[in-house]
Structures are given as C-alpha cells and as structure tokens.
Amino acid sequence: MTAPHSASAAPTALIAEDEPMLRAMLKARLAEAWPELVIVAEAGNGAEALAQFAVHRPDIAFLDIRMPVTSGLEVAREIAAACHVVFVTAYDEYAVAAFDEGAVDYVLKPPAPERIAKVVARLKARVSATPLDLAAVLARLAAREGLPAAAPLKWIRASLGPSMRLIAVDDVVYFQAEDKYTKVVTADGEALIRKSIRELFDELDQDAFWQVHRGTIVNLRAVDRVDRDWRDQPVVVLKGRAETLTVSRTFAHRFKAM
C-alpha cells in the first residue's frame, strides 16, 4: 500500500523509457524544473519498471507508452492506483485525444522545458492527493494501440474512515453490497468502495471470483466447503471465518456437482 505523499518528504519518481538518451534528457529537464524531486529508479522496459516500482514505491512514474517486454500502458494498469502517472509519448494525437480529455499528465518527445514546467506545476499541486483513476483513459489508449483489454483487477482503493487504503484483490475474502457502497472483506478487516457488485464482477478474474448472490461475490481461494441448508440450497462456508454466504437460486447451478 502506498500512502499519499507527505508534504514534508521529498517527492520520488521512477523514469521508464527504453531510449537512454531520451531518458537522460527527461531526467535533466526534471532536475532543472524540480530540483527537490528524487529519481529513485530508472528502467529501460516495462518489466524493469514494474520490478523497480515494487522495490521503491515512488510517488510518480514517468512511463514511455511504447516500451519493450511490457508497454507503458500495461505498467500503468498495474501501478496507477498507487502513484501518479505521467505518460511519455512521441504521438501528438494521443495527447490531444486521450490525455487532455482525462486531464492526464503527459510529456511529448523530446521533452521541452515548457511542457516539463507545466507537468511539474500540476504534479506539485496534487502529489499529496490520491492518484487519478486512469481506467477510462487506459482503455481508450489500449484500443488505439491495439492492445488487449485490461487485465483483471488487482488492486482496490477503499475508504477506511478518513483514510484511503490499497487492497490487493487476492487478499479479499468476499465483496458484499451494502446500501450505496460495496463492503470489501479481508482477513484483516473491512472497507467500503463506491463500486457496484455488477461493475466489480466485470473487472475481476472470473475464474477466481464467483458471484453467488445478487449482492455477493466470493473469492474461491477463501472457500472451505459448500454445505446445503434445510431447503437444499448451497451455503458457502469460508476458511477460518464464522459467517457463511447464502447462494441465491440464480447462482445455485454453479454448485450442482457439489
């Protein structure tokens, strides 16, 4: 989990660009425009970027859209919930049609001092805030780039009192609709998100998560067994938990062989 950046700490950044000269130029321009920014890692491809992000957890990631091994868009899908993303691109049409629409920061190659100054000003203003939700922009860019649809959801931003918490989807036991929110239940506690069960189900790995009720999705890894109630309807028993999950008639066919 990455907490919002503290105003008292120096902001940190990762630069991922496969062309060494452009990477050095971007680093130099950033040093001029934002001397306090600490470049904690550099990467020459998307896989390296993900590895470096896991180690350093920077506040900001500058990502070249087209990189070997793993594209910048694919990297952004993985990390955008945990840091502020700035795309680096040689293509004006992307900037105009996608970035500006979504108020997403971008740098055109080669990086010009004027553009860097504008990006730095915007980043300074929001580095302490929660990162933007890039899902819609990434979907549009992926379609233009001919990339496959987004991978299953891996991280969830959830409210925990006045704080924001990042939860790994694999750690979720189950999701349950609760008024205008969806409750996210993990082994460590509960949190709330403003995403509906229907929206969530479309984004989850449906081999790992099953909807068992109009308002409930369960992580199959958390299922101990499936019992039957007095009506012969399936009831999900969870590993190490006292509560059970009711399976509605609509989804009971999933458990017919059990």
Side-chain angles (χ1 to χ4, degrees):
M1 180 178 104
T2 298
H5 171 74
S6 167
S8 62
T12 57
L14 157 71
I15 297 177
E17 161 64 59
D18 64 315
E19 299 178 52
M21 287 184 63
L22 281 171
R23 191 164 68 241
M25 187 182 298
L26 177 56
K27 186 176 180 180
R29 293 273 189 250
L30 286 169
E32 294 168 2
W34 198 357
E36 299 82 12
L37 181 67
V38 179
I39 307 300
V40 291
E42 298 180 38
N45 62 55
E48 287 179 9
L50 287 171
Q52 293 288 353
F53 181 84
V55 171
H56 298 283
R57 294 285 170 175
D59 302 306
I60 303 160
F62 292 84
L63 304 176
D64 183 11
I65 284 185
R66 293 184 174 178
M67 287 188 291
V69 187
T70 303
S71 76
L73 297 184
E74 292 170 299
V75 174
R77 286 173 181 166
E78 298 288 335
I79 70 173
C83 78
H84 298 272
V85 170
V86 180
F87 288 109
V88 182
T89 178
Y91 303 94
D92 278 289
E93 65 267 28
Y94 293 132
V96 173
F99 300 141
D100 283 342
E101 280 180 30
V104 177
D105 288 314
Y106 64 91
V107 174
L108 292 176
K109 300 179 186 182
E114 307 79 35
R115 181 65 203 175
I116 293 291
K118 184 178 291 188
V119 168
V120 164
R122 285 162 57 88
L123 287 170
K124 284 181 176 180
R126 66 184 186 212
V127 71
S128 298
T130 301
L132 294 172
D133 184 346
L134 300 185
V137 172
L138 289 174
R140 288 199 298 272
L141 288 169
R144 290 174 184 221
E145 288 281 280
L147 293 173
L153 191 66
K154 292 190 176 180
W155 293 91
I156 292 172
R157 278 184 276 186
S159 298
L160 194 64
S163 304
M164 188 275 290
R165 178 185 174 194
L166 273 176
I167 301 172
V169 168
D170 287 347
D171 292 340
V172 175
V173 177
Y174 62 91
F175 300 94
Q176 197 157 63
E178 190 168 281
D179 297 325
K180 296 179 181 179
Y181 298 88
T182 293
K183 181 169 66 175
V184 182
V185 179
T186 69
D188 299 328
E190 301 176 358
L192 295 174
I193 60 175
R194 287 183 176 272
K195 189 168 289 194
S196 71
I197 288 291
R198 178 179 293 182
E199 290 174 305
L200 263 175
F201 187 66
D202 288 341
E203 296 179 13
L204 293 166
D205 179 355
Q206 293 174 20
D207 289 331
F209 288 85
W210 281 10
Q211 187 166 4
V212 297
H213 190 278
R214 182 177 62 183
T216 310
I217 298 171
V218 66
N219 185 342
L220 294 181
R221 302 177 189 90
V223 175
D224 181 48
R225 66 183 189 275
V226 179
D227 289 341
R228 299 272 171 178
D229 65 13
W230 61 273
R231 299 165 301 171
D232 200 34
Q233 287 294 111
V235 177
V236 175
V237 179
L238 301 165
K239 295 175 182 175
R241 299 187 70 90
E243 74 269 35
T244 59
L245 303 178
T246 301
V247 180
S248 69
R249 293 185 183 277
T250 303
F251 302 100
H253 66 276
R254 289 183 175 273
F255 304 97
K256 282 227 169 138
M258 298 181 180

